[in-house]
Amino acid sequence: MNLSTRINALHESPTMKLTARAARMKAEGIDVVAMTAGEPDFDTPEHIKAAAIEAIRRGETKYPKPASGLPALKSAICAALLRNQGLTYRPEQVIVTCGAKLAIQKTLTVLINPGDEVLIPTPYWVSYPELVKLAGGTPVLIESDERRDFKLTPEQVRAAITPRTKAFLYCSPSNPASFTYTPEETRGLVQVLATAGVAIISDEIYDSLTFGGVKPLSPAAVSAEAYARTITINGASKIFAMTGWRVGFAAGPVHVIEAMIKLQSQGTSGVAPFIQLAYAEGLKDDRGEIERMRRDFERRGRHMYDRVKRLPGVTCVEPTGAYYLFPNVSGTFARLRVRDSDEFAERLLNEAHLVVIPGSAFGSDRHIRMSFATSMAQIDAAVDRLEAFLK
Ligand SMILES: Cc1ncc(COP(=O)(O)O)c(C=O)c1O
């Protein structure tokens, strides 16, 4: 049976593949240190779990009504957007989806026609180009400059816009590069996009995890023009350690959200009600968990950065958000006789039993990504192995 051209053009997520490989090696009894995790090592907070359990006991186990999301969760999302970013959204401007990833996929599906271009800054989150292709669009990569912490300038964005540009995939704080645009930088980029009539798909999944006092600004908060062109995406995975619950949302102009709701009605039919109610409980944010986790990530990230930046042949941008380090290891390639990040990661796995994601997965072959969503002991073990490997 032949597979479709659409699916043949798609690559499997390399991060998920490597995480699975590390798990297999561990199961075989190999002492592997995996720095691949795209998820917090914390457990979901108890009161969020309790809200789900109570909802199940109350019988919140049928189809979600409406399929676009329970009113209680939509209200909690609108309240959180107002509190965190001063953004005013009405419930009919919100759709609840099975994770932020699906919110991005749905946004692209309802916006993109064949031949439409979607701008993606590199390094990018692995799924962006694939999701654009799946929606029938053309990913257009914009190379960023590591000397500017991988941040794009308005001029770079302006130069990449063509008559076929439909959307820009904005991600701050960034996975994998862990930079966070300052409000001023966001304004500069967004003004160029809004003036050119380009839709902004703003992936804000790490928005509460910023370090060094940087506070991100939502593109939708920049101006009325930007608000009308932005789809704001977020979810429970990263801030509430709820990656397995699969719940997120998109907020934006009513006609775009209505199109996504139509798609959802023919797809997943929405998110399990007890999961939505648990997310709503978390969004009250009345117990300080987000800040507790953020502080811990900041401490771990700083420690790892301080050690990694000293390694011979390695340079590294200091993380200001998310929970990754994205060191440039190309200065070691000649000495190690490796050609690229894939070979580097392969040798690291075979010789040091350390699993990292090669930068090639994110469109940058000179880097590796190491997650610090893990314990200090594991961080030290990983850097020890990397250090020994580089000697
Ligand atoms: C930048 C970015 N966006 C979206 C997601 C997916 O989030 P969710 O678990 O809500 O689908 C991830 C997960 O790794 C991510 O790093």
Side-chain angles (χ1 to χ4, degrees), residues 58 141 170 182 220 257 319 322 350 359 366:
R58 274 200 316 275
L141 307 180
Y170 175 94
T182 64
I257 298 300
N350 295 337
R366 300 182 299 280

Tab-separated table of all heavy atoms in Angstrom, residues 58 141 170 182 220 257 319 322 350 359 366:
chain	number	residue	atom	x	y	z
A	58	ARG	N	-17.163	13.303	39.716
A	58	ARG	CA	-18.437	14.005	39.475
A	58	ARG	C	-19.073	13.593	38.145
A	58	ARG	O	-20.165	14.003	37.828
A	58	ARG	CB	-18.172	15.522	39.402
A	58	ARG	CG	-18.163	16.233	40.725
A	58	ARG	CD	-18.401	17.740	40.536
A	58	ARG	NE	-17.667	18.351	39.444
A	58	ARG	CZ	-16.418	18.813	39.517
A	58	ARG	NH1	-15.753	18.717	40.648
A	58	ARG	NH2	-15.836	19.361	38.474
A	141	LEU	N	13.198	29.645	5.965
A	141	LEU	CA	14.022	29.775	7.161
A	141	LEU	C	14.792	31.087	7.150
A	141	LEU	O	15.355	31.462	6.122
A	141	LEU	CB	15.001	28.595	7.254
A	141	LEU	CG	14.350	27.211	7.171
A	141	LEU	CD1	15.415	26.107	7.262
A	141	LEU	CD2	13.312	27.030	8.278
A	170	TYR	N	6.606	32.912	15.562
A	170	TYR	CA	7.346	33.621	16.605
A	170	TYR	C	7.394	32.719	17.837
A	170	TYR	O	6.379	32.147	18.242
A	170	TYR	CB	6.586	34.917	16.910
A	170	TYR	CG	7.120	35.752	18.051
A	170	TYR	CD1	8.002	36.795	17.824
A	170	TYR	CD2	6.694	35.499	19.355
A	170	TYR	CE1	8.466	37.573	18.874
A	170	TYR	CE2	7.158	36.279	20.406
A	170	TYR	CZ	8.044	37.304	20.161
A	170	TYR	OH	8.503	38.069	21.201
A	182	THR	N	13.307	41.014	24.390
A	182	THR	CA	12.840	42.056	25.303
A	182	THR	C	11.592	42.696	24.673
A	182	THR	O	11.387	42.582	23.451
A	182	THR	CB	13.908	43.161	25.479
A	182	THR	OG1	14.090	43.800	24.209
A	182	THR	CG2	15.235	42.605	25.981
A	220	ALA	N	0.627	40.126	20.397
A	220	ALA	CA	-0.737	40.669	20.314
A	220	ALA	C	-0.898	41.926	21.159
A	220	ALA	O	-1.826	42.705	20.947
A	220	ALA	CB	-1.748	39.615	20.754
A	257	ILE	N	-10.505	31.481	14.850
A	257	ILE	CA	-10.824	30.495	15.896
A	257	ILE	C	-12.034	29.660	15.466
A	257	ILE	O	-12.053	28.437	15.644
A	257	ILE	CB	-11.088	31.214	17.254
A	257	ILE	CG1	-9.827	31.959	17.717
A	257	ILE	CG2	-11.555	30.221	18.317
A	257	ILE	CD1	-8.574	31.118	17.944
A	319	PRO	N	21.280	31.387	28.698
A	319	PRO	CA	19.820	31.271	28.550
A	319	PRO	C	19.057	32.331	29.342
A	319	PRO	O	19.398	32.605	30.496
A	319	PRO	CB	19.499	29.875	29.081
A	319	PRO	CG	20.662	29.446	29.873
A	319	PRO	CD	21.849	30.245	29.432
A	322	ALA	N	13.000	29.410	28.919
A	322	ALA	CA	12.835	27.972	28.631
A	322	ALA	C	13.801	27.159	29.508
A	322	ALA	O	14.233	27.642	30.552
A	322	ALA	CB	13.000	27.676	27.156
A	350	ASN	N	27.827	7.018	21.991
A	350	ASN	CA	28.550	5.733	21.998
A	350	ASN	C	29.704	5.716	22.990
A	350	ASN	O	29.935	4.725	23.672
A	350	ASN	CB	29.091	5.411	20.596
A	350	ASN	CG	27.953	5.181	19.618
A	350	ASN	OD1	26.837	4.848	20.034
A	350	ASN	ND2	28.202	5.395	18.337
A	359	GLY	N	22.185	19.705	16.871
A	359	GLY	CA	21.596	20.963	16.405
A	359	GLY	C	20.941	20.852	15.046
A	359	GLY	O	20.048	21.650	14.719
A	366	ARG	N	25.988	23.319	14.018
A	366	ARG	CA	27.192	23.571	14.821
A	366	ARG	C	26.917	23.424	16.319
A	366	ARG	O	27.794	23.632	17.135
A	366	ARG	CB	27.724	24.980	14.537
A	366	ARG	CG	28.101	25.205	13.087
A	366	ARG	CD	28.662	26.590	12.851
A	366	ARG	NE	27.709	27.653	13.177
A	366	ARG	CZ	26.720	28.049	12.381
A	366	ARG	NH1	26.556	27.482	11.200
A	366	ARG	NH2	25.899	29.011	12.737
